[in-house]
Amino acid sequence: MSLHWLTLPLPLPPSPAPLYPPLPRNPLPLLHLHLHLHLRHHRKPLTATFVAGGKYYPNPSEDDPPEAAEDASHGVSKFEQIHRQASRARKLQEEDYKNNLSTFLDAIKDEEDAPDTPDSVDTEGGGDDFFEEIDKAIALQRKEFVKQGLLEPNPPKKGGGKAAGVELGETVDGAGELEPEEVIDLEEIDELQGLSVVSVNDDQEEEEEEDDGVVNDEASEVGKPDSIDSSFDAVDLSGFGKDKVRIVEPKFRMALAELLDECKVVPISVYGNLDVEITGIEHDCRMVSAGDLFVCCVGKETDGHMYLSEADKRGAVAVVASEEIEIEETLGCKALVIVEDTNAALPALAASFYRHPTRDMSVIGITGTNGKTTTAYLIKAMYEAMGLRTGMLSSVAYYVHGNNMLEPSEYSSPDAVSVQGLMAKMLHNGTQAVVMETSTSELSLGRCEELDFDIAVFTNLMKEDPSFDGLEGDSRDAYAKLFSKMVDPERHRKIVNIDDPNAPYFVAQGNSNVPVVTFAVENKKADVRPLKFELSLFETMVLVSTPYGILEISSGLLGRHNIYNILAAIAVGVAVGAPLEEIVRGIEEVDAVPGRCELIDEEQTFGVIVDHAQTPNSLSRLLDLMRELKPRRIITVIGCCGEHDRGKRPLMTKIATDKSDVTMLTSDNPGNEDPLDILDDMLSGVGLTMQEYLKHAENDYHPPLKNGHRLFLHDIRLVAVRAAVAMGEEGDMVVVAGKGHNTYQIEGDKREYFDDREECREALQYVDELHQAGIDTSEFPWRLPESH
């Protein structure tokens, strides 16, 4: 995907009067960007003399010999400089070798030792085979490790001369005895001709058996190989070129008295030893470890005071509570602090314990009903294009910076302690900026109270917000808490979507003098808006007007809603003074966001997307956006979770069948509920029962619905997804909704791995084979030709 930045002057409409405080012309210090200053070299003033009559007399000093150039090498010769650089490089290499020695040993512990005689290592014509030279080097290095006592000896096996069933000295087709080189050549020829079976190890066989459910007969007959297969195809290049580094875990410890003083929490009363050392903070008794401070938070259904004994057993050394507790009865608790509200004290305690990490990073908060995740990915990529190490906290993934992703969390919204700990880890590992989704629950419950945000972004406000149980007005008030932090005109910025009718409300939050950058698709007064855009099944093209120039962007993010997300990211770039070419480069770097209208591209002639839409409103909006791409047909796969939300099941089916040409109903985490009962509830959305549907199955034909659209179902999700993809034809759009980036299926008490994206790719790879076999996949259930 090429990067474009239009530099040609284009005719622009007259600029409207600004609605909000203008941006400073040089807002770059906001992010502490380390920019290179270009010094201007001024010429030396002329010293020639003019006298009466216009005659010119040169200054004698101009004839002086030129001065010697300043010694930039500080007296060190070029050779000495190179020598020093080489020494430093050698030292770094030695340190890397020591740090990763265990990895090197594990990699070659199963290799065979090099022969004792050098002649047996080198073969005639040696050096012509690149991989042969690598094997020699590995064998010799292993021999050195054996001499040093780091590895056990592993001499060459006597049967190692076998090749494709031919032993050394054996006769082939009446020929004489084979030399070792000829045996190797024969083995390579047999492999190229497909005469030998490539072995797989036990782990791979087990994985294939689990995935397919059938043991491969050929693979089961293959024994263990005598040596490691050095096939080039087995080399994993997925991480090549990625800037992954080892993430270092910071350690924190603080005396309880110091912590109370730092966090400004005023206790009602204090008991015990305040000099006790705290090594962590927890409000979940299950996560407490030795040395932790346990905070007894009170929730809707639980009360932390009830779990004090469990926290004490796990090693808590101090407790913060809002009720009087007898600590003499505990085993290891040495101090008790009584406060008025433990929930309010928790964020302050966590921020002080982790030394307020967000004060030393630029933090961008994104709030709104839809678009937060995609906007976060775009901003992260844009900041990294500017050369800033940027972390991210989103509902999909946590990144320290670059490609260094943290282990996936079970909770999409981290609590106040977790978010401060994650921020501290990022800062400790060199992160300079952080992009964070801020949901209504995080804002309303005070989890973001002690975070020092620099930029607030508002995407939109819909009636439905799945992260919050309150009303629309409650969601708006929760979002406003992020914007209320924007009080410093020199440092803070507000980014607002003015196509949303709630925009003035968010602009008014905080200090009215804080600069505002607006974006919109419809409103022509926005600072960042599209002049033109084109939507298709595989690409989005948009021409964007900004206060500093016009951008041309080609993105793999599909749909009109992603234009809003792209504009939001551009507005952030404009607010911080990012170079326009780096804005474009960063945004075009994001081809897909996991589970967010994610395009599955295997070079097929129809579109396939995977999305997390799992509510009636989100599904309806998704299908409307897909219809705007003008596909020939929309084929939709949907399911409903078991054991809750029964009321939405008929509505989901009604929306899908109204807005899709073909709908495939299936299961989605049925849990302990019968998948057929869930499907029966979903069928009621089109006035059918399971019995009525199954009657048509007897004739292997399902008639169209009243609106002319088709409806099928299968209770096994794998079959449903693959069938829907196989139905796709040129110009169609297949929509697999519900799971998105989630990679599991819950059936009964089992939680098994399942990824809609992988199943779509798998199906796309075999569609052609099905068609070549004469199977008509345009209608489900598939029927074999009559000739079969």
Side-chain angles (χ1 to χ4, degrees), residues 1-186:
M1 188 177 294
S2 60
L3 306 179
H4 303 285
W5 175 35
L6 296 185
T7 56
L8 297 178
L10 295 179
L12 294 176
S15 301
L19 296 177
Y20 308 109
L23 289 175
R25 298 302 297 177
N26 185 23
L28 286 180
L30 291 171
L31 298 180
H32 316 291
L33 301 178
H34 302 289
L35 303 178
H36 296 288
L37 300 177
H38 299 282
L39 301 177
R40 297 178 179 177
H41 298 280
H42 299 280
R43 294 183 179 179
K44 187 175 181 181
L46 294 176
T47 57
T49 305
F50 288 86
V51 297
K55 294 184 179 180
Y56 170 79
Y57 294 92
N59 192 320
S61 64
E62 294 179 357
D63 297 330
D64 293 345
E67 297 180 2
E70 184 179 354
D71 183 12
S73 60
H74 305 288
V76 181
S77 67
K78 189 69 174 178
F79 176 81
E80 183 64 23
Q81 292 180 43
I82 295 174
H83 179 70
R84 291 183 179 182
Q85 293 174 3
S87 298
R88 285 195 294 268
R90 191 179 301 109
K91 184 177 180 181
L92 292 174
Q93 186 177 8
E94 292 174 354
E95 291 177 355
D96 179 70
Y97 172 76
K98 292 179 181 178
N99 295 335
N100 297 284
L101 180 59
S102 60
T103 304
F104 299 151
L105 294 175
D106 290 340
I108 64 174
K109 65 181 180 181
D110 296 328
E111 293 288 335
E112 296 179 356
D113 292 336
D116 296 331
T117 57
D119 294 339
S120 58
V121 177
D122 297 327
T123 59
E124 185 178 351
D128 294 337
D129 189 340
F130 175 70
F131 293 102
E132 181 182 343
E133 294 297 327
I134 293 177
D135 292 339
K136 292 178 187 176
I138 292 175
L140 292 173
Q141 182 62 56
R142 192 190 192 289
K143 192 173 183 180
E144 289 296 322
F145 284 147
V146 171
K147 289 182 179 179
Q148 299 172 16
L150 300 175
L151 289 175
E152 295 294 330
N154 185 22
K157 297 179 176 61
K158 294 181 179 180
K162 283 191 176 183
V166 181
E167 295 189 12
L168 291 179
E170 188 175 339
T171 308
V172 181
D173 295 336
E177 292 186 355
L178 296 177
E179 296 295 329
E181 300 81 26
E182 295 174 327
V183 174
I184 295 174
D185 291 340
L186 180 61

Side-chain angles (χ1 to χ4, degrees), residues 250-324:
K251 300 296 183 182
F252 294 88
R253 56 183 68 244
M254 183 183 296
L256 179 59
E258 181 185 0
L259 177 60
L260 294 175
D261 184 59
E262 288 284 342
C263 71
K264 309 300 182 184
V265 172
V266 180
I268 297 175
S269 57
V270 178
Y271 305 95
N273 180 16
L274 291 184
D275 292 328
V276 63
E277 187 177 66
I278 304 300
T279 58
I281 298 179
E282 282 295 343
H283 66 95
D284 186 341
C285 66
R286 297 167 298 180
M287 306 300 293
V288 171
S289 58
D292 282 354
L293 168 67
F294 179 63
V295 183
C296 301
C297 292
V298 180
K300 292 182 179 180
E301 300 178 357
T302 60
D303 186 343
H305 298 84
M306 300 170 55
Y307 304 101
L308 177 60
S309 59
E310 180 66 24
D312 178 59
K313 291 178 183 178
R314 293 176 178 269
V317 295
V319 175
V320 175
S322 56
E323 301 174 3
E324 295 290 341

